[in-house]
């Protein structure tokens, strides 16, 4: 978890932000949002929204009243309580890539379908990472598992191989409920889960301005059990949202607000996250361009809007459009990651591993992105400015033209420095390793997977979970 | 030139910044700075500094009074007045890599000594760049030229192949004066140069707490001719400065202030830049680690200190410790570049091209870094939030579940988007080019060099310059 010690960067002026807010309220009142669930619409109507067919219109005062019920931050509990995290405030909580159907095969330099073995391996890399806080969910898509057991097997892998925070399935009400029942096995009963939220789940809008029944059913199950939900738009400018950034942000804001309002109507006080995975589209090719400065601007404003509504935000990631792990993948990923953290994003999916926008997970990029997380974390942590660190005495001792290498001040503080995991600090002349970063990352990932120590898990819990998951199939 | 439209990021609290300032004043008063020039010391003594041997001690009130004479921003004039730039305020002015003795040979994957042909080729790439503002100086070291003509031939290449702003030689008083005389040929006489500064030069301190005679002589020549000087520390933590960031910043601040104070004593109102190329040292290997978060923290505070003294700042660059143009070189360079711009750096040497800290220039990384400059520029430029861009009408037209692709609002604004120069936005499935970024950059650089159009230069000026430079040898 990154605890940012430098002030966040507000991208827009307050007056501009309020224009986006007002425009979103207008869209919610005049166009409304389609909720493709009769049950959801009944709840919305009962709580002051106007329903016509599938469409739900939101009076501004209903929106603001309901958003006000959402907590400004909350704790997500891990089975190892030392790994529980705060979502909100100055923190950025990190989860790996999410939902990729493909994995990059580094050795053969091609991509292939992701499997459950990949899922387990990435879970171990996430377990090993000093910077990843949340596992589970669709870390990669285990294409070789039957649909009705996937969420169970993914949950099992996450619990078995790590003791970090967990994500739940958003694939409909049934799988959401099963996720909660599995969490109940791990966390000592369903009341414990309710009182100490243990599953965070990703509820996507269906842009423009819709929610599908599967997501709504999952949302209702999680809200009724007080489990946090990320309400996230994945709008694509010029296709599923207006082509302008301001317009796309208005639409995203309207969609996310409607989901947050609905969650509060289902159960006031449900922890929510104001989220986005939206991107511009390169209209020459029709492809997403998530590694673009325009996408980062949108993430920055999403974080700022979330502060305006006093709820946590989600956005960013180590995002790139490169299909190969090269310098483009490096500079795009750093741009999105660094700025999303500086702009105050609280929850970050896709923090490590992705290539080719959201399509492909890479073991090697997972390791390189984990290095970047360490760098970003270091940048956001201030350095001490006390007399001891100001070092006036040392400068008077060493004097003009001297060398600090042998001074006691150097000896006392030389260990403060961050040591990179895989990055090179060789000189060309003295180099012993001319491998590129992906090769070093490849070897590092193999080493981690070879040596990974699984944290302890109560045998009874493991057996009960196994029994529950077997019954799903 | 990047004109940042979002607010700069202040890294330190004001109280912490003032601690560094106070400590620097203490060091200037108690340890002083060695000025290895009798002429310089005489000027310092005459203006209120205390001189003992080579050492110069600065009373705090002298420091503050003299720093107050430096302008908070100034214009650097190009021979094409459309390419003149403002140094200070919200602007970041970019110059390419500076001083590398080596060039990376991409085809043979090794490094070699830089030559004058490289110098000319990099000058053309800089001339072609939409983001590079300043050329000349030691863009790369032309190792194949005799020392006494290098500065002349470098100046000639910069003037002949571009019409952008220029750097002067800081290799002693003679070469500084010759730089000014060459500028006088291009800019219509020495009075024009004096009244419209046309050469910016890099005066490095000799850490810890010294100035060598060559730099001091150059500084005096430029100051007497009202040409801007960058006073820059290149401190290396744990060796030529304290190992702590705070301590290293105190020392840098003291060194830079003493140079600025001296410049104001030579000629009050001389434009100066408060600069740093300092870095942490990886004490395991003794190598610089300029692509580290610690180095960026120092650049950020240097920019903040410069604001405190109300003078422009220099720092940052597309800096990396990687010896190969790979993902590490991408993510390190983006981290340093983006944060240095966000933190308000006004002048940036090393904006494009460097590998292996400051040692090696790469044609391919030059092109990739130029792409990054476009991204950073875009991120710092706000987007419009007027009614037309908020797009409420478009959303009401398209409605829930619709598609914006055919809407007139999309058609009207789709051209606003930034198009990358070399970055890939292909999908893996539809890819026609599986080359990595360095290969695309290689081909792009070859194309630029093939097709480069030299801007017009008055024949008489060209002939006079040729004559002057021939006489140097």
């Amino acid at each position: 978890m990154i605890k940012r010690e430098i002030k966040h960067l507000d991208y827009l002026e307050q007056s501009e932000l309020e224009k986006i807010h007002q425009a979103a309220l207008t869209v919610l009142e005049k166009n409304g949002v389609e909720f493709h669930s009769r049950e959801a619409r009944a709840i919305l109507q009962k709580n002051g929204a106007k329903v016509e067919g599938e469409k739900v219109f939101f009076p501004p005062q209903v929106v603001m009243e309901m958003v006000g019920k959402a907590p400004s931050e909350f704790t997500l509990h891990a089975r190892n309580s030392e790994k529980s995290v705060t979502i909100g405030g100055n923190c950025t909580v990190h989860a790996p890539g999410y939902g990729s159907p493909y994995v990059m095969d580094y050795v053969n330099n091609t991509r292939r379908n992701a499997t459950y073995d990949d899922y387990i391996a990435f879970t171990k890399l996430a377990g090993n990472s000093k910077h990843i806080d949340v596992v589970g969910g669709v870390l990669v898509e285990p294409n070789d598992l039957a649909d009705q057991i996937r969420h169970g097997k993914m949950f099992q892998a996450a619990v078995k191989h790590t003791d970090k925070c967990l994500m739940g399935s958003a694939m409909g009400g049934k799988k959401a409920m099963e996720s909660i029942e599995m969490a109940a096995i791990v966390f000592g009963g369903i009341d414990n889960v309710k009182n100490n939220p243990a599953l965070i789940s990703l509820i996507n809008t269906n842009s423009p301005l819709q929610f599908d029944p599967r997501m709504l059913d999952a949302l209702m199950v999680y809200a009724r059990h007080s489990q946090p939900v990320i309400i996230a738009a994945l709008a694509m400018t010029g296709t599923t949202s207006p082509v302008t950034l301001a317009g796309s942000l208005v639409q995203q804001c309207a969609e996310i607000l409607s989901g947050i309002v609905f969650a509060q109507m289902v159960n006031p006080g449900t922890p929510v996250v104001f989220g986005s995975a939206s991107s511009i589209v390169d209209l020459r090719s029709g492809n997403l361009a998530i590694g673009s400065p325009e996408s980062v601007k949108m993430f920055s404003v999403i974080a700022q809007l979330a502060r305006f509504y006093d709820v946590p935000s989600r956005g960013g990631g180590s995002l790139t459009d490169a299909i190969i792990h090269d310098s483009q993948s490096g500079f795009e990923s750093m741009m999105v990651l660094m700025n999303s953290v500086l702009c105050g994003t609280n929850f970050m999916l896709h923090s490590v591993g992705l290539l080719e926008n959201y399509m492909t997970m890479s073991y090697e990029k997972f390791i390189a992105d984990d290095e970047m997380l360490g760098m970003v974390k270091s940048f956001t942590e201030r350095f001490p400015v006390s007399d001891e660190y100001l070092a006036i005495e040392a400068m008077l001792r060493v004097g003009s033209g001297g060398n600090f290498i042998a001074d006691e001040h150097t000896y006392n503080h030389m260990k403060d420095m961050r040591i990179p995991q895989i990055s090179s600090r060789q000189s060309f002349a003295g180099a012993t390793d001319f491998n590129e970063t992906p090769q070093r990352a490849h070897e590092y990932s193999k080493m981690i997977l070879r040596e990974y120590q699984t944290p302890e898990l109560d045998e009874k819990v493991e057996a009960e979970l196994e029994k529950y998951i077997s019954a799903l199939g």
Side-chain angles (χ1 to χ4, degrees), chain A:
Chain A
M1 182 163 70
I2 293 180
K3 281 192 192 172
R4 192 174 25 78
E5 294 172 353
I6 56 176
K7 199 181 171 316
H8 64 257
L9 200 154
D10 277 323
Y11 194 86
L12 291 184
E13 304 284 349
Q14 195 63 18
S15 62
E16 295 171 320
L17 197 76
E18 285 175 21
K19 276 189 190 175
I20 290 175
H21 159 66
Q22 285 300 338
L25 290 183
T26 302
V27 169
L28 284 170
E29 191 174 24
K30 292 197 174 161
N31 183 86
V33 177
E34 287 185 9
F35 279 69
H36 297 298
S37 152
R38 189 185 301 266
E39 187 185 354
R41 289 194 302 274
I43 293 167
L44 286 153
Q45 189 158 32
K46 199 179 131 200
N47 285 276
K50 203 177 87 189
V51 174
E52 282 177 20
E54 307 250 306
K55 215 159 225 183
V56 181
F57 302 88
F58 295 85
Q61 69 278 15
V62 170
V63 174
M64 296 315 287
E65 189 200 327
M66 288 295 160
V67 170
K69 294 179 193 288
S72 53
E73 62 175 60
F74 58 87
T75 300
L76 183 64
H77 295 268
R79 71 175 174 92
N80 175 350
S81 62
E82 285 175 16
K83 299 196 176 167
S84 298
V85 292
T86 301
I87 298 181
N90 291 333
C91 301
T92 308
V93 163
H94 295 280
Y98 189 97
S100 300
Y102 301 109
V103 163
M104 180 57 73
D105 178 337
Y106 173 73
V107 174
N108 296 305
N109 197 26
T110 189
R111 73 171 199 193
R112 57 171 173 74
N113 286 336
T115 65
Y116 189 52
D117 282 347
D118 291 314
Y119 190 95
I120 291 170
F122 280 117
T123 298
K124 288 178 179 174
L125 293 185
N128 175 72
S129 163
K130 270 185 282 191
H131 309 112
I132 295 297
D133 309 294
V134 179
V135 294
V138 195
L139 204 168
V140 284
E141 193 69 56
N143 293 291
D144 53 343
L145 293 184
D147 179 67
Q148 75 273 21
I149 60 160
R150 272 188 202 180
H151 62 299
K153 298 294 281 183
M154 294 192 291
F155 186 91
Q156 188 177 31
V159 168
K160 190 168 166 180
H161 298 293
T162 83
D163 53 4
K164 298 188 171 184
C165 293
L166 300 166
M167 294 191 75
S169 171
M171 295 291 123
K174 180 169 180 287
K175 287 180 179 172
M177 196 57 229
E178 287 166 356
S179 297
I180 290 173
E181 285 168 358
M182 291 187 288
I185 294 170
V186 178
F187 288 86
I190 208 152
D191 284 345
N192 273 349
V193 174
K194 266 194 177 176
N195 296 330
N196 303 293
L199 289 178
I200 188 165
S201 303
L202 177 59
I203 305 296
N204 284 316
T205 68
N206 189 0
S207 300
L209 297 163
Q210 303 179 104
F211 278 93
D212 73 24
R214 207 176 45 166
M215 290 286 168
L216 288 172
D217 287 352
L219 190 162
M220 287 187 279
V221 167
Y222 286 122
R224 284 175 184 139
H225 292 85
S226 302
Q227 300 305 291
V229 282
I230 305 159
I231 312 288
L234 202 169
M236 301 183 286
T237 61
T239 57
T240 65
S241 71
V243 73
T244 53
L245 298 188
S248 183
L249 282 161
V250 169
Q251 183 186 302
Q252 291 175 65
C253 186
E255 292 177 0
I256 302 161
L257 282 178
S258 72
I260 288 177
V261 163
F262 176 56
Q264 301 309 313
M265 289 175 174
V266 173
N267 183 11
T270 297
V272 294
V273 177
F274 189 98
S276 172
S278 300
S279 171
I280 60 161
V281 169
D282 190 317
L283 292 174
R284 298 169 305 169
S285 62
N287 292 334
L288 288 183
I290 67 177
S292 62
E294 294 93 337
S295 290
V296 198
K297 292 185 194 193
M298 291 202 288
F299 290 136
S300 302
V301 176
I302 288 289
Q304 198 176 354
L305 282 167
R307 283 192 292 278
F308 180 77
Y309 299 118
D310 198 19
V311 292
S313 59
R314 174 238 159 163
S318 293
L319 304 184
T320 183
D321 302 308
I323 57 177
I324 297 173
H325 181 184
D326 65 357
S327 72
Q328 179 189 339
S329 83
F331 63 69
E332 289 184 344
S333 296
M334 178 56 92
M335 174 184 68
V336 182
L337 174 65
M338 179 63 87
N339 288 317
S340 301
V341 170
L342 291 182
C343 289
T345 299
N346 299 121
F347 189 88
M348 193 180 285
L349 276 180
H350 312 305
S351 298
V352 292
L354 285 176
L355 280 175
E356 196 198 354
N357 60 64
Y358 298 121
M359 294 300 279
T360 306
M361 279 290 275
S362 154
Y363 288 95
E364 293 72 27
K365 187 155 179 288
F366 191 112
I367 300 298
D369 292 346
D370 200 47
E371 179 84 278
M372 295 200 319
L373 284 176
M375 296 164 73
V376 171
K377 178 174 157 65
S378 168
F379 182 70
T380 64
E381 288 171 354
R382 258 201 288 248
F383 53 85
V385 192
S386 63
D387 284 350
E388 170 63 16
Y389 287 82
L390 288 166
I392 295 180
E393 294 306 316
M395 279 176 269
L396 296 181
R397 269 196 305 273
V398 172
S400 298
N403 194 317
F404 287 83
I405 192 75
D407 191 76
E408 63 187 72
H409 186 262
T410 303
Y411 182 79
N412 292 339
H413 295 286
M414 59 192 285
K415 288 190 176 153
D416 297 353
M417 201 193 305
R418 179 186 165 273
I419 305 295
Q421 280 185 332
I422 58 153
S423 288
S424 166
R425 286 176 170 176
Q426 305 177 103
S427 66
F428 191 95
T432 53
D433 173 4
F434 285 90
N435 283 323
E436 297 192 13
T437 301
Q439 179 63 30
R440 285 201 302 280
H442 181 71
E443 289 161 15
Y444 191 85
S445 72
K446 292 285 175 204
M447 188 266 287
I448 299 299
L449 292 175
R450 221 164 36 233
E451 298 181 5
Y452 186 68
Q453 301 279 334
T454 292
E456 267 190 45
L457 176 63
D458 186 293
E459 273 177 34
K460 264 188 275 181
V461 167
E462 196 172 347
E464 205 179 333
L465 203 54
E466 173 63 35
K467 193 176 143 197
Y468 184 93
I469 290 159
S470 301
L472 293 176

